Amino acid sequence: MLLIPAIDLKDGQCVRLRQGDLDDATIFSEDPTAMATHWLERGARRLHLVDLNGAVAGKPKNEALIKAIVAAVGDDIPVQIGGGIRDLDTIERYLDFGISYVIIGTAAVKNPGFLHDACGAFPGNIIVGLDARDGKVATDGWSKLTKHDVSDLAKKFEDYGCEAIIYTDIGRDGMLSGVNIEATVRLAQHVRIPVIASGGVTDLRDIDALCAVQDEGVEGAILGRSIYEGTLDFEAAQKRADELQP
């Protein structure tokens, strides 16, 4: 089970949101680059970056900071980035300066042709982010709920050649209310590619629950508020996950 610390970027700071609400942001660090090296030193094997300003603007807004973070962690661990990625030039630019995986969310749903082209142009580097409430996909920073079923879209995007699916339960994100195991497993059973859980991970009980369904295709989890507020110790969590490796 790959546990991935999240660094959400807003106005140059590391923040966490509640249910994706930009107006409900808690600042955890004014130095996101130092935060990235902090997680690296504690054994992180991948980092998850989100350009929150970019997600709203529809184009990168924290690119210089993202570049600095990638430079700081060097070649030690892969870095994945999402938020405001709407064209192939942006993907190419990110990959050129060392990003390993580019996450396409809203654009994948609204413009599947773009996702198809991205998977073809950059095989092995594209992850799709599907954010859902009650099984229906949301877009535009979670402000719009579509009629698309999350499992149907995941299957379609798998066929395009995406590397993995990040599944976020909107209702639980940033709420420390426990991960939605049932919905995550249901999605993982519909696809052959890895599913990474996001939203609601709170403590070691969630790590135990995720590891118990790893054989279903749930291969990782993104950790946010829990590791910043201290309800989950990252090093202890990764150690537990390694011990429970099937």
Side-chain angles (χ1 to χ4, degrees):
M1 180 67 58
L2 179 65
L3 302 182
I4 312 171
I7 299 177
D8 289 2
L9 305 171
K10 180 176 182 281
D11 305 330
Q13 299 171 319
C14 171
V15 307
R16 292 303 296 167
L17 308 182
R18 292 184 189 275
Q19 297 183 323
D21 185 354
L22 280 170
D23 294 325
D24 192 358
T26 304
I27 298 170
F28 284 107
S29 173
E30 295 187 354
D31 188 349
T33 303
M35 187 59 70
T37 56
H38 168 85
W39 295 127
L40 174 64
E41 290 164 358
R42 274 148 188 79
R45 297 166 191 169
R46 188 186 295 190
L47 289 179
H48 175 79
L49 307 184
V50 181
D51 183 350
L52 293 172
N53 300 109
V56 174
K59 58 182 178 181
K61 286 293 185 180
N62 286 283
E63 194 167 334
L65 180 54
I66 293 162
K67 195 171 186 177
I69 290 171
V70 172
V73 300
D75 298 325
D76 292 322
I77 56 172
V79 177
Q80 59 193 41
I81 176 71
I85 298 162
R86 304 285 191 273
D87 57 65
L88 297 179
D89 286 345
T90 299
I91 297 173
E92 185 171 27
R93 201 162 62 247
Y94 275 141
L95 295 177
D96 281 348
F97 67 64
I99 289 288
S100 298
Y101 303 103
V102 172
I103 303 161
I104 302 176
T106 291
V109 181
K110 288 188 162 184
N111 185 7
F114 163 59
L115 176 66
H116 189 275
D117 291 345
C119 290
F122 308 105
N125 299 115
I126 305 300
I127 293 175
V128 171
L130 290 177
D131 310 324
R133 188 189 299 275
D134 299 326
K136 299 300 180 183
V137 173
T139 62
D140 299 278
W142 305 349
S143 63
K144 297 178 182 177
L145 199 62
T146 73
K147 295 181 179 179
H148 294 295
D149 182 84
V150 65
S151 295
D152 292 343
L153 274 187
K155 188 66 180 172
K156 176 181 178 181
F157 296 158
E158 175 186 40
D159 292 342
Y160 286 179
C162 71
E163 184 72 9
I165 300 285
I166 295 175
Y167 172 67
T168 303
D169 183 320
I170 296 171
R172 302 197 184 206
D173 187 72
M175 302 303 289
L176 297 178
S177 57
V179 69
N180 190 336
I181 294 291
E182 182 181 348
T184 306
V185 168
R186 193 160 54 240
L187 175 60
Q189 290 172 338
H190 273 78
V191 294
R192 298 180 303 277
I193 56 176
V195 170
I196 299 170
S198 176
V201 176
T202 305
D203 53 33
L204 283 175
R205 289 173 295 182
D206 289 308
I207 303 304
D208 290 346
L210 285 163
C211 289
V213 296
Q214 190 166 348
D215 286 345
E216 301 286 355
V218 182
E219 296 189 9
I222 293 169
L223 308 182
R225 186 172 289 273
S226 61
I227 56 173
Y228 288 100
E229 293 196 347
T231 64
L232 182 67
D233 178 272
F234 177 78
E235 290 178 277
Q238 188 62 72
K239 182 181 179 182
R240 174 73 68 90
D242 291 343
E243 290 170 350
L244 295 174
Q245 184 76 21

